[in-house]
Amino acid sequence: MGETVKINMPFDKWCKLQKDFERVNSKLPENEKLDWEKYKYCVNWGRLSFDLYGIEIGAFKKLREPEFYNKKEIK
């Protein structure tokens, strides 16, 4: 059997983010590709998804550090 990975978000969101990374990377030059391995354990999939979309449309140049997507929101 394959290797088990512990993820920190719902599985369907994790799969969607992985596909988003692939889609965005297909549009970026080789030297600007995003590293899924750095972000696959992040907690806040909403922020990460938003920033990926921002990169795709050209509003952002790069993702923030993985720690940013692991911050818990204070209410």
Side-chain angles (χ1 to χ4, degrees):
M1 197 150 171
E3 179 183 335
T4 302
V5 176
K6 180 174 179 355
I7 58 175
N8 299 315
M9 65 182 77
F11 184 71
D12 62 327
K13 303 300 182 191
W14 190 80
C15 292
K16 181 186 177 310
L17 278 175
Q18 189 173 22
K19 290 186 187 306
D20 290 348
F21 265 84
E22 291 171 4
R23 186 182 68 248
V24 172
N25 275 338
S26 71
K27 297 177 181 180
L28 293 174
E30 194 61 38
N31 63 338
E32 294 180 18
K33 301 268 187 214
L34 305 171
D35 184 8
W36 166 246
E37 294 299 315
K38 285 175 58 177
Y39 295 92
K40 71 180 183 181
Y41 299 111
C42 291
V43 175
N44 196 322
W45 61 269
R47 286 182 181 171
L48 188 51
S49 182
F50 179 83
D51 286 357
L52 278 171
Y53 181 70
I55 291 171
E56 186 174 16
I57 64 170
F60 304 136
K61 294 284 185 193
K62 62 181 184 171
L63 292 174
R64 302 173 215 202
E65 291 302 313
E67 294 78 25
F68 175 79
Y69 304 106
N70 283 320
K71 291 181 184 175
K72 298 204 179 219
E73 294 184 34
I74 300 173
K75 293 184 179 182

